[in-house]
Amino acid sequence: MNPAKTNQTIRSIIDYGGLAVFLAVYFLTGKDMIKANWALAAASGVALAVGLILERRIAPMPLVTGLFALVFAALAQNFHDTRFVKMQPTAINLFLGAVMLGGAAMKRNPLKALLGSAIHLDPPAWRTLMIRYGALFLTEAALNEAIWRTQPDQVWVVWHRPVLLAVSIGFSVAQLPFLMKHAKLGEAELRAEHEGETGPSG
């Protein structure tokens, strides 16, 4: 089995397993949105532990998702109001959008922490990608607000999980030509840096 593919599979389960748990608990508990959100927070905690054990890193997405799920589940529980659960994706996407666009403006690279070390890009390409993802997150935040305020709970749940995930995956797939083009430049830059550190051989 290819180790890279295995690592990618593990990372996908860690990053998206909580979404499946949310849906399962939502339907198994008679569409109890607050319990489903508590389950999401718990699943994110498990994902963090698994990521730490198997990859020896703190997976950023479960960390962000878990922290927001804890806060908004507690608010929903305290005020007996599921609107807090529905506002949670808006808050997460606004946060991620601000991090991406802020990173691009400040010449930082938060996106690399999300994607890991598997991709090597030149700095201008990272900046472009951060701006694109920042725009995606802000668009998803706006869509979430529009949907939960105008549609029934069942429609929002389907949007919040399967549809939103499909949109994110589709967007990422659409970036593949850009990544393939600029990954070669990034790898060349990485090799040049490595050769500069080790000096000429022979």
Side-chain angles (χ1 to χ4, degrees):
M1 185 176 290
N2 189 326
K5 288 184 178 180
T6 301
N7 289 340
Q8 189 58 48
T9 301
I10 292 171
R11 187 164 295 177
S12 297
I13 293 171
I14 291 171
D15 287 344
Y16 301 114
L19 307 182
V21 170
F22 179 95
L23 281 176
V25 174
Y26 176 76
F27 288 108
L28 290 173
T29 58
K31 301 180 180 178
D32 190 320
M33 204 175 291
I34 296 176
K35 287 182 179 178
N37 217 42
W38 281 119
L40 172 61
S44 298
V46 172
L48 282 172
V50 171
L52 197 57
I53 293 168
L54 296 182
E55 296 193 318
R56 296 185 179 181
R57 74 181 188 108
I58 295 177
M61 284 308 294
L63 177 62
V64 171
T65 302
L67 289 175
F68 275 90
L70 275 175
V71 171
F72 281 84
L75 288 170
Q77 187 82 45
N78 185 61
F79 292 101
H80 305 286
D81 192 340
T82 58
R83 287 181 297 178
F84 287 104
V85 179
K86 299 174 189 177
M87 286 187 284
Q88 179 183 307
T90 301
I92 292 175
N93 282 302
L94 286 176
F95 172 76
L96 292 174
V99 168
M100 292 298 116
L101 297 179
M106 297 172 65
K107 297 183 179 179
R108 304 292 181 185
N109 200 344
L111 185 59
K112 192 172 184 179
L114 289 176
L115 296 179
S117 58
I119 300 174
H120 301 289
L121 303 176
D122 54 291
W126 276 119
R127 185 174 184 276
T128 298
L129 204 59
M130 283 190 289
I131 292 172
R132 291 182 181 182
Y133 271 96
L136 170 70
F137 291 134
L138 295 182
T139 300
E140 288 178 346
L143 287 172
N144 186 68
E145 283 298 296
I147 290 171
W148 83 258
R149 292 175 185 275
T150 61
Q151 302 299 317
D153 287 355
Q154 291 83 349
V155 173
W156 177 82
V157 167
V158 172
W159 148 257
H160 178 213
R161 297 306 172 186
V163 175
L164 184 57
L165 179 59
V167 169
S168 298
I169 292 174
F171 178 86
S172 297
V173 169
Q175 307 311 306
L176 287 178
F178 177 85
L179 289 172
M180 292 174 66
K181 175 182 176 182
H182 289 273
K184 295 180 180 179
L185 296 174
E187 288 171 0
E189 185 177 281
L190 191 67
R191 283 196 300 271
E193 289 178 1
H194 180 69
E195 290 170 2
E197 290 174 358
T198 58
S201 59

